[in-house]
Amino acid sequence: MSKLVVEVLDASELRVRGGEGLANAYAEVEFDDQIQRTHTRPRDLHPQWNEKLFFNLSNPMELQNKTINVVVYNHRPEGGHHENFLGRVRISGLMVPFSESEALIQRYPLEKRGLFSNIKGDLALRVYAINSGNSFNVEPQYGLDEMSQTPLEDDSVDKKRKKKEEKVLRTFHAIGAAAPAPEQAFKAHHQFTENVKNVKVRADFAQAAPPPPMMIQTRVPGQIPEFGLTETRPSLAARTRYYNSDKSSSTYDLVERMFFLYVSVVKAKDLPAMDVTGSLDPYVELKLGNYKGTTKHLEKNQNPTWNQTFAFSRERVQANLLEVTVKDKDIGKDDFVGRFVFDISEAPTRVPPDSPLAPQWYKLENKKGEKIKGEIMLAVWVGTQADEAFPEAWHSDAHNLSHQNLSNTRSKVYFSPKLYYLRLLVIEAQDLVPSDKTRGILDSYVKVQLGNQLRVTRPSQVKTVHPVFHEELMFVASEPFEDFLILSVDERLGPGKDKSLGRMSIPVRDIPQRIDTCKHPDPRWFNLFSSSGSEEKKEVKFASKICLRLCLESGYHVLDESTYFSSDFQPSSKFLRKPSIGILKLGILSAKNLLPMKMNEGKATDAYCVAKYGNKWVRTRTLIDTLHPRWNEQYTWEVHDPCTVITIGVFDNSHINGKDGARDQRIGKVRIRLSTLQTDRVYTHYYPLLVLQPSGLRKHGELHLAIKFTCTAWLNMVTQYGKPLLPKLHYVEPIQLRYIDLLRNHAMQIVAARLCRSEPPLRPEVVQYMLDQDYNMFSLRRSKANFYRAMYLLTGITGICKWCGDICYWKNPITTCLVFVLFITLVCLPDLILPTVFLYLFLIGIWNYRFRPRSPPHMDARLSQAESAQLDELDEEFDLFPSSKPEEIVRKRYDRLRIVAGRAQTVVGDLATQAERVQGLLGWRDPRATAIFIFFALVFGVFIYVTPLQFILILVGVYMIRPPRFRRRTPSVQVNFFKRLPAKTDMLL
């Protein structure tokens, strides 16, 4: 006979009703009328049982239709389960694997009995089924008679367990690669993955082969399990600060603390000359165990100043002595100048916001330990990643990089440039001088350029030397305003043959700014200067002029990302910006199982993360050659609108070896909408890094994030939901649709160009991927996803219609009678209609509260139609514009698009037909049908006038809910009459 095994491991953060404090907790498991329970753990809100409970499973095929109920109770001598209820967990048999190796330890939040129950905490379980052939050791089970024992009987066992736990050494571990570096030579991808599988990964600082017990796999119905979220519970200060008296990690409360040995090499003095010429090219070499770092060498300087900081990970250091050696750079072998040995066990610990440690002078020694001439100034201390020296320090995990390439691995914070819309209204021109004065027609147009942005007006309808244009053009400008607006009036002489009639330039900094909806600036006349030679300038007695109205719009928000997942809606003017409503904290903890991106180079992946929210971009440091990086870096943003999205992307650094022409490869990204987060709650999950490629959907690893949204102004946040999403000017003077995507693309290019000039640069391919440059490009997969989204919303309306049909056709006579009684009550008492509707909405919302999402949303592969996308559809989606494919493939795509468009054409035609039939009721296209309709309209009008409205409604209700024996299977008279009305379909060619 098969067995069902339920491993009850532990519970955490239990809450006892009435606030008694500690609990005598035990778990009771019920399955298929079989009840078993665990030991009672006395006086413990975080009990650990680690017990296996076995249940008989008669028919494994029926397991998916059964439920496992686990209830946690607080044992009391007086009994009473309702008073001792601490929470329960329900597990569907559909989620139970039939193998112990496939079973994961999962944490389930304890459910409440009622809406107002005071239940808190979670329960760690491991459930699986085994066959009768499998051998297993049955631990002694405890029956219901154990409930009569007092909690004091478990004291001896509990004390022994606590003593064993006290012997466990609790340490904090450091950053860097969580796993050892993979082999340096890769013969094939299969060999590489096999090597990686044999590496034990440090997850949550515990080296263990099975998954850590603090994980919950969040699965979406119908979605592949590996594409779902995995909830974790790492040891974060944001969760443990109330139980831990150590406040040193309060500033970095969403990441795990990492300890480093910091060495600040400041300067040296009185160094002896080593060369024959009496010069010295000194540099400092630091050696700690197997790690070695060097400063820059300074030429011909016996009193050098370096001011460089080094950070050695305490987790990976296997030595107690730090050797500081001063050497002289030489063509052959570098000369030894002096050294100093420091015992790192004597290094003090510094925790911000303490002031920086003051460096000290140390006397140099020779190789024999004798004091020699020369001193070096150092500062050595132990700190965490919260130290101010952390971002700029040289890290031991990048010890094989040169100083020139080291800057490409450091963590940085960037800010997008401040963007404005530039509005230009070209009104008219006067006194233009045509190239051929004998021609009576002057075909002119205006060409305007700002940076890389080029706009051209339509040719003037007035074909004279005084053309009128009256056309508005829009550009994107950025601070500081260093560009010029270049304008030229051209004459069209023939196809591809134009000539300039005059040009001018305006500095952008001289253009006035317009705030909010104030009056537009007055138009101005500008002189046009000829671009011809000096002889023609002498012939012109006067200058041509052009009338322009131009201004910088500071009341708009310049869109550089799609409004559907934008991270900022603030206007350009600082006087119109909304006040802050809260703080967003993001902890980038780690990643695991990343895709090896440098197999050709014999390496794994040099991964770093980029996060973007508002105008603030952050970049973590690059961890070299690892598939399981651990960053543990925390960043903070001010939140001005809760309906915004933060984007986090993972990339492979291709510039650590000085490859300027290389592109950073994308590994994946995650979006999190702030409005879906509960305030003051810490969310810690592994997010799948899903990337859509021409070969299909791929998972490139998992990103471990901790996020917390804290509200500082509740009233302002609530009122935000009633305010417009974009600034006021977007609705008063909306931007033309033909400019929206074009301006967004230009804004994205300006941001990418500006961030690319930073140090280290944020590459354009990174910025474009984070801002979704190709979001508006056509995709058959995305079109199908949007169609199914719309159909899913219509299923609600379809369900209501089906429910009404079941009521009318008496599928359930009791329900039909109750609905009819409710209908009669509302007709007789019409004042109760609106209160009943709103009360019903309130009750539905309260009922759905128990089914609310427990984790933030993420990239849904099933919703995106990425799992079922065909290869030819993906090939079309990733094709360039214009297409670079052969004609046969393009013709095939066109034929497929014609089929899809034909279906859409049929749907639109059907909608038009129904609308034309409605118009035909009174249009006299069918005189007999119109006569019948107006006759019955007159009869019904008189009938309704002389008959009370309540009686008419009751009569309609009785007719709609008439029993099936009084119904016909053919359509009703009204439907038949409507379908016979004429439409204009027969008039189409």
Side-chain angles (χ1 to χ4, degrees):
M1 180 180 293
S2 301
K3 296 286 185 179
L4 176 71
V5 183
V6 180
E7 293 188 23
V8 185
L9 301 176
D10 62 85
S12 63
E13 300 181 1
L14 298 179
R15 177 178 291 176
V16 182
R17 183 175 180 179
E20 292 91 341
L22 302 178
N24 305 317
Y26 68 93
E28 184 178 278
V29 184
E30 186 270 333
F31 172 74
D32 199 14
D33 297 331
Q34 307 173 56
I35 301 178
Q36 297 191 42
R37 52 161 293 178
T38 65
H39 282 91
T40 300
R41 295 302 178 189
R43 297 187 297 277
D44 194 355
L45 293 179
H46 306 273
Q48 295 185 3
W49 294 286
N50 294 320
E51 299 183 21
K52 290 185 179 180
L53 305 181
F54 297 88
F55 298 87
N56 294 328
L57 185 58
S58 58
N59 188 359
M61 301 302 296
E62 297 180 357
L63 178 59
Q64 60 181 356
N65 301 325
K66 297 182 180 181
T67 303
I68 306 168
N69 296 312
V70 184
V71 186
V72 182
Y73 292 113
N74 176 23
H75 174 67
R76 293 182 180 177
E78 62 269 17
H81 278 183
H82 183 71
E83 295 294 328
N84 299 325
F85 180 80
L86 298 181
R88 65 184 173 190
V89 172
R90 300 175 183 176
I91 305 174
S92 174
L94 188 63
M95 310 293 292
V96 178
F98 283 85
S99 173
E100 183 178 1
S101 60
E102 298 178 1
L104 299 178
I105 300 176
Q106 301 183 357
R107 280 205 162 272
Y108 300 90
L110 294 175
E111 298 180 2
K112 304 178 181 179
R113 262 183 177 165
L115 180 63
F116 302 101
S117 299
N118 190 19
I119 300 299
K120 183 183 178 183
D122 47 46
L123 183 65
L125 300 173
R126 186 167 180 251
V127 185
Y128 56 91
I130 57 176
N131 296 324
S132 58
N134 295 345
S135 61
F136 54 88
N137 298 327
V138 181
E139 297 184 0
Q141 305 300 321
Y142 296 87
L144 298 178
D145 56 347
E146 186 190 347
M147 295 176 58
S148 60
Q149 74 175 8
T150 62
L152 298 177
E153 295 176 2
D154 287 337
D155 283 354
S156 59
V157 180
D158 192 67
K159 290 180 179 178
K160 292 179 180 179
R161 178 178 58 83
K162 290 185 176 179
K163 287 181 179 179
K164 292 181 179 180
E165 292 177 353
E166 291 174 357
K167 295 179 181 180
V168 179
L169 181 61
R170 300 181 179 272
T171 59
F172 288 93
H173 299 280
I175 72 162
E183 297 181 4
Q184 297 300 318
F186 296 92
K187 298 181 179 179
H189 177 64
H190 177 72
Q191 181 181 357
F192 176 81
T193 54
E194 290 298 322
N195 293 337
V196 174
K197 288 181 180 179
N198 296 329
V199 178
K200 289 187 177 181
V201 183
R202 297 185 66 94
D204 294 334
F205 304 121
Q207 275 193 344
M214 310 295 280
M215 289 189 179
I216 302 176
Q217 184 74 27
T218 304
R219 294 182 58 180
V220 178
Q223 180 172 285
I224 299 177
E226 65 173 340
F227 294 161
L229 293 183
T230 303
E231 184 176 359
T232 61
R233 297 186 64 86
S235 178
L236 303 180
R239 286 198 177 106
T240 61
R241 67 170 57 181
Y242 298 105
Y243 307 102
N244 191 355
S245 59
D246 185 10
K247 305 296 182 181
S248 61
S249 58
S250 60
T251 55
Y252 271 48
D253 56 351
L254 289 187
V255 294
E256 297 165 314
R257 289 198 303 174
M258 306 176 299
F259 286 93
F260 296 89
L261 177 69
Y262 288 98
V263 181
S264 176
V265 181
V266 183
K267 57 184 178 179
K269 66 178 182 180
D270 301 333
L271 296 179
M274 303 300 295
D275 296 339
V276 179
T277 58
S279 62
L280 179 70
D281 303 332
Y283 70 93
V284 178
E285 179 183 274
L286 303 177
K287 189 175 182 180
L288 182 61
N290 295 328
Y291 295 100
K292 182 173 66 175
T294 59
T295 65
K296 297 180 180 179
H297 75 278
L298 303 178
E299 296 182 357
K300 299 179 180 181
N301 194 338
Q302 293 182 267
N303 299 285
T305 300
W306 293 284
N307 284 325
Q308 289 185 237
T309 305
F310 299 79
F312 296 90
S313 174
R314 289 292 301 271
E315 181 189 35
R316 305 172 67 176
V317 169
Q318 300 178 354
N320 296 324
L321 297 178
L322 171 67
E323 185 177 349
V324 183
T325 306
V326 181
K327 293 185 176 182
D328 175 33
K329 188 71 174 179
D330 210 338
I331 298 177
K333 183 179 179 181
D334 297 341
D335 297 329
F336 175 84
V337 178
R339 71 174 182 179
F340 177 79
V341 179
F342 190 91
D343 188 356
I344 63 175
S345 61
E346 299 179 358
T349 301
R350 176 183 176 268
V351 179
D354 291 350
S355 299
L357 193 67
Q360 299 180 11
W361 287 102
Y362 296 92
K363 195 73 174 177
L364 294 179
E365 302 174 352
N366 57 18
K367 295 182 179 180
K368 298 180 180 180
E370 301 172 350
K371 301 295 182 181
I372 61 174
K373 181 182 178 182
E375 294 179 278
I376 185 170
M377 179 179 283
L378 301 174
V380 183
W381 73 95
V382 176
T384 64
Q385 71 269 39
D387 201 290
E388 293 87 351
F390 177 79
E392 297 294 334
W394 173 96
H395 289 272
S396 56
D397 55 2
H399 61 276
N400 57 346
L401 298 181
S402 63
H403 289 281
Q404 183 178 0
N405 296 327
L406 189 63
S407 61
N408 291 322
T409 66
R410 291 192 172 119
S411 57
K412 289 292 181 180
V413 176
Y414 308 84
F415 284 91
S416 299
K418 194 174 181 180
L419 303 178
Y420 294 81
Y421 284 136
L422 191 153
R423 189 190 297 269
L424 171 64
L425 179 63
V426 183
I427 302 176
E428 60 178 331
Q430 287 186 358
D431 302 329
L432 297 181
V433 180
S435 58
D436 187 0
K437 298 181 180 180
T438 60
R439 295 179 58 186
I441 298 177
L442 179 63
D443 191 6
S444 59
Y445 64 93
V446 179
K447 183 168 60 177
V448 187
Q449 183 175 0
L450 177 64
N452 296 328
Q453 308 171 60
L454 180 64
R455 305 282 189 273
V456 179
T457 67
R458 292 185 293 269
S460 173
Q461 300 299 323
V462 181
K463 309 296 183 179
T464 65
V465 295
H466 308 294
V468 177
F469 303 96
H470 210 277
E471 185 171 349
E472 188 175 78
L473 306 176
M474 293 198 70
F475 303 85
V476 178
S478 63
E479 289 185 349
F481 302 119
E482 299 175 348
D483 296 330
F484 286 82
L485 186 69
I486 302 174
L487 182 145
S488 66
V489 181
D490 294 355
E491 177 187 6
R492 183 161 295 168
L493 302 176
K497 189 176 181 182
D498 300 334
K499 183 177 181 181
S500 177
L501 302 180
R503 58 183 300 148
M504 56 162 293
S505 62
I506 306 173
V508 177
R509 60 177 176 270
D510 295 340
I511 299 177
Q513 290 192 20
R514 175 173 173 250
I515 301 177
D516 204 5
T517 58
C518 60
K519 181 182 176 182
H520 284 277
D522 297 329
R524 296 171 55 191
W525 287 93
F526 296 89
N527 292 329
L528 294 175
F529 301 97
S530 174
S531 57
S532 305
S534 58
E535 296 181 358
E536 292 190 6
K537 287 186 178 180
K538 295 180 181 179
E539 296 178 1
V540 178
K541 304 298 182 180
F542 56 91
S544 303
K545 294 181 179 294
I546 188 170
C547 184
L548 306 174
R549 189 187 71 191
L550 64 170
C551 62
L552 288 171
E553 299 283 5
S554 59
Y556 287 94
H557 167 69
V558 180
L559 295 171
D560 57 353
E561 51 192 344
S562 175
T563 54
Y564 298 112
F565 37 80
S566 179
S567 62
D568 185 21
F569 298 106
Q570 294 285 78
S572 302
S573 175
K574 62 180 180 181
F575 303 104
L576 302 177
R577 295 183 178 177
K578 306 173 186 177
S580 172
I581 63 170
I583 296 175
L584 174 66
K585 293 182 179 180
L586 174 67
I588 304 176
L589 301 177
S590 61
K592 66 178 182 180
N593 302 328
L594 295 182
L595 184 72
M597 307 297 290
K598 292 185 171 66
M599 293 179 55
N600 297 332
E601 303 177 12
K603 298 174 59 178
T605 300
D606 304 326
Y608 69 93
C609 289
V610 175
K612 195 264 182 186
Y613 183 77
N615 65 336
K616 181 179 178 181
W617 301 66
V618 299
R619 168 178 174 162
T620 66
R621 68 192 186 281
T622 301
L623 297 185
I624 309 298
D625 195 16
T626 175
L627 300 180
H628 309 277
R630 287 174 49 212
W631 294 283
N632 281 306
E633 298 184 23
Q634 180 172 333
Y635 301 95
T636 306
W637 288 268
E638 283 190 354
V639 179
H640 300 272
D641 195 316
C643 302
T644 47
V645 177
I646 182 173
T647 305
I648 306 101
V650 184
F651 301 89
D652 175 62
N653 196 336
S654 301
H655 297 82
I656 59 175
N657 294 325
K659 297 181 179 179
D660 295 334
R663 293 171 58 91
D664 289 351
Q665 301 296 319
R666 60 183 69 171
I667 300 178
K669 67 180 174 182
V670 175
R671 294 195 200 101
I672 302 175
R673 183 171 292 273
L674 268 62
S675 59
T676 61
L677 304 178
Q678 298 181 14
T679 55
D680 298 321
R681 177 183 171 183
V682 179
Y683 293 85
T684 52
H685 293 83
Y686 270 111
Y687 293 84
L689 298 174
L690 305 180
V691 177
L692 197 62
Q693 297 178 343
S695 58
L697 182 65
R698 296 291 181 268
K699 180 180 176 181
H700 287 180
E702 295 180 83
L703 181 62
H704 197 191
L705 299 177
I707 189 168
K708 179 182 179 182
F709 172 49
T710 303
C711 180
T712 57
W714 274 95
L715 184 60
N716 290 341
M717 184 180 70
V718 173
T719 55
Q720 286 288 345
Y721 283 90
K723 296 180 180 180
L725 196 64
L726 293 169
K728 180 181 178 181
L729 209 55
H730 283 269
Y731 305 95
V732 177
E733 297 181 17
I735 302 174
Q736 300 179 24
L737 292 177
R738 64 191 181 102
Y739 280 132
I740 291 179
D741 290 338
L742 185 62
L743 292 175
R744 174 176 174 262
N745 188 37
H746 286 315
M748 188 185 311
Q749 293 178 3
I750 292 175
V751 172
R754 186 66 60 84
L755 296 181
C756 185
R757 296 169 58 186
S758 305
E759 186 64 34
L762 203 58
R763 305 290 171 178
E765 60 270 16
V766 175
V767 177
Q768 293 171 3
Y769 181 62
M770 296 289 290
L771 297 179
D772 284 280
Q773 181 185 20
D774 302 329
Y775 179 76
N776 292 328
M777 296 295 292
F778 173 76
S779 168
L780 187 60
R781 173 194 60 84
R782 196 177 290 121
S783 301
K784 291 195 300 183
N786 293 331
F787 172 77
Y788 286 120
R789 287 171 58 197
M791 294 301 297
Y792 177 76
L793 296 178
L794 293 177
T795 54
I797 301 176
T798 306
I800 295 176
C801 296
K802 184 178 182 301
W803 179 79
C804 294
D806 294 342
I807 296 296
C808 295
Y809 284 89
W810 293 71
K811 296 291 184 181
N812 190 339
I814 298 178
T815 305
T816 302
C817 294
L818 292 177
V819 171
F820 183 71
V821 171
L822 178 62
F823 176 76
I824 297 298
T825 303
L826 295 178
V827 170
C828 298
L829 301 173
D831 295 340
L832 296 179
I833 295 178
L834 290 180
T836 302
V837 171
F838 286 107
L839 180 61
Y840 183 65
L841 295 177
F842 172 77
L843 293 177
I844 291 178
I846 294 297
W847 177 260
N848 291 337
Y849 178 77
R850 60 185 299 184
F851 306 109
R852 68 191 185 278
R854 303 286 181 173
S855 58
H858 66 291
M859 303 288 189
D860 194 333
R862 182 169 176 263
L863 180 65
S864 305
Q865 297 295 314
E867 299 176 357
S868 58
Q870 302 295 328
L871 294 181
D872 55 343
E873 297 176 2
L874 297 177
D875 183 63
E876 179 183 8
E877 182 174 347
F878 287 93
D879 194 7
L880 301 176
F881 187 84
S883 177
S884 58
K885 298 296 181 179
E887 293 183 1
E888 296 181 359
I889 297 179
V890 176
R891 186 181 296 110
K892 182 180 178 181
R893 294 176 183 173
Y894 176 68
D895 293 339
R896 182 179 58 195
L897 187 61
R898 288 176 62 188
I899 297 175
V900 176
R903 297 174 182 174
Q905 172 183 294
T906 303
V907 174
V908 174
D910 292 340
L911 294 177
T913 299
Q914 308 306 324
E916 289 171 353
R917 285 173 177 171
V918 174
Q919 289 181 347
L921 289 172
L922 298 173
W924 293 95
R925 293 195 65 223
D926 186 343
R928 287 168 294 278
T930 304
I932 294 172
F933 177 76
I934 62 174
F935 172 74
F936 279 100
L938 177 62
V939 172
F940 287 142
V942 175
F943 177 74
I944 293 174
Y945 178 76
V946 300
T947 308
L949 180 61
Q950 295 177 345
F951 178 77
I952 296 174
L953 293 176
I954 293 176
L955 189 63
V956 173
V958 171
Y959 175 77
M960 296 297 296
I961 313 180
R962 65 190 186 278
R965 62 168 28 183
F966 299 108
R967 294 179 179 272
R968 294 183 299 176
R969 295 188 178 182
T970 57
S972 62
V973 177
Q974 301 91 330
V975 175
N976 293 331
F977 178 78
F978 183 77
K979 288 186 176 181
R980 289 178 177 273
L981 291 172
K984 296 181 180 180
T985 309
D986 51 349
M987 299 172 61
L988 296 177
L989 293 176

